[in-house]
Amino acid sequence: MAYETIVVELVDHTTLIKLNRPDALNALNEQLLSELCDALQAAQKNSKTRCIVITGSEKAFAAGADIKMMSTKSFVDAYMEDMFTEASDTIARIRKPIIAAVSGYALGGGCELAMMCDFIICSDTAKFGQPEINLGVSPGLGGTQRLARFVGKSKAMDMNLTGRFMDAEEAERCGLVSRVVPSKKLMTETMAAASKIAEKSLITSTAVKEMVHRSFETTLKEGLLFERRLFHALFATEDQKEGMNAFIEKREAQFRDK
Ligand code: CAA
């Protein structure tokens, strides 16, 4: 598929996906979401890809779902086409680790896309927000659900009800992002984190991603059981033998995804 709204590059073992609608601050329209989903599915299938990074431009990760695309839709249009469900489900089904590298605006659907990734590294210029309320709508890609789970009820209510933006420092303080880095270092830091992940056994990183995601879906007791059973299952892999032997032999592990 030839892409017009994203740029995709394989850098060593990381698929780097850059949202590329600069004139609309990377607003998520149907084409962009469809190309993004296609690229993510291709990265999932590509045996060379061991980690995925989604980024935008210096000014905007993404300024939300495309308001011009949505402005004329009726309830029946939105409901019957099941707006955003396919994209949301497709992204949630990607099993390889995904990092969001956020600079500038991550608003509405942009903040929600970043939250759909496994973790967020942002630059000190990042601004997060769920300003949909200013448009007479609510978030529709997880802004009330994921934000509440990630930063707690009070801040999620504040962000969703006032529509205010949160800067990078506040985002790190409340746990929305894992790291804040100087703007110029955003991509080097994020790609370095991706390469660290790419060095691990893909079986293990896939399992760990599944375990953490399960913690948001279930009770602690069930989540701990899920974790322990997958932990037990990892002893069936050659990578477990390699990882533990490498430690004992004081050498770097060479994982083979077996
Ligand atoms: N949809 C469509 N176009 C958008 C857009 C969006 N979400 N955000 C920005 N753009 C366009 C602008 O219309 C403008 O295009 P033109 O030059 O053709 O007029 C261009 O991008 C540049 O934007 P601005 O001139 O507004 O840039 P700015 O620097 O003055 O302001 C901004 C930046 C504060 C991010 C402002 O653009 C803004 O508030 N954008 C909308 C943010 C928003 O409300 N997002 C939520 C969308 S709804 C949603 O996401 C629903 C959901 O949950 C799924």
Side-chain angles (χ1 to χ4, degrees), residues 105-231:
Y105 296 111
L107 304 176
C111 184
E112 293 166 302
L113 173 61
M115 289 193 288
M116 279 187 247
C117 297
D118 297 311
F119 64 97
I120 303 172
I121 299 179
C122 78
S123 82
D124 47 15
T125 64
K127 286 195 175 4
F128 298 89
Q130 297 294 158
E132 290 91 337
I133 197 158
N134 298 329
L135 302 167
V137 288
S138 69
L141 267 167
T144 62
Q145 303 304 297
R146 288 196 178 91
L147 195 63
R149 281 167 171 76
F150 297 167
V151 308
K153 175 187 160 191
S154 190
K155 219 169 261 291
M157 284 288 191
D158 179 0
M159 301 301 294
N160 277 290
L161 288 172
T162 67
R164 76 173 174 89
F165 299 166
M166 185 192 269
D167 66 15
E169 194 200 316
E170 184 180 1
E172 187 182 32
R173 202 166 61 235
C174 68
L176 179 60
V177 307
S178 71
R179 318 178 192 179
V180 180
V181 298
S183 181
K184 291 213 162 17
K185 292 195 173 156
L186 177 65
M187 290 322 294
T188 45
E189 289 265 347
T190 307
M191 294 307 278
S195 336
K196 269 268 161 251
I197 294 169
E199 287 168 10
K200 321 294 182 208
S201 162
L202 186 59
I203 309 167
T204 318
S205 60
T206 302
V208 166
K209 170 168 173 160
E210 231 176 315
M211 291 176 203
V212 177
H213 278 277
R214 187 57 70 103
S215 75
F216 292 99
E217 306 288 345
T218 192
T219 61
L220 180 61
K221 195 171 174 202
E222 286 302 317
L224 287 170
L225 181 63
F226 182 81
E227 178 194 85
R228 189 142 319 117
R229 291 298 178 237
L230 266 181
F231 166 71

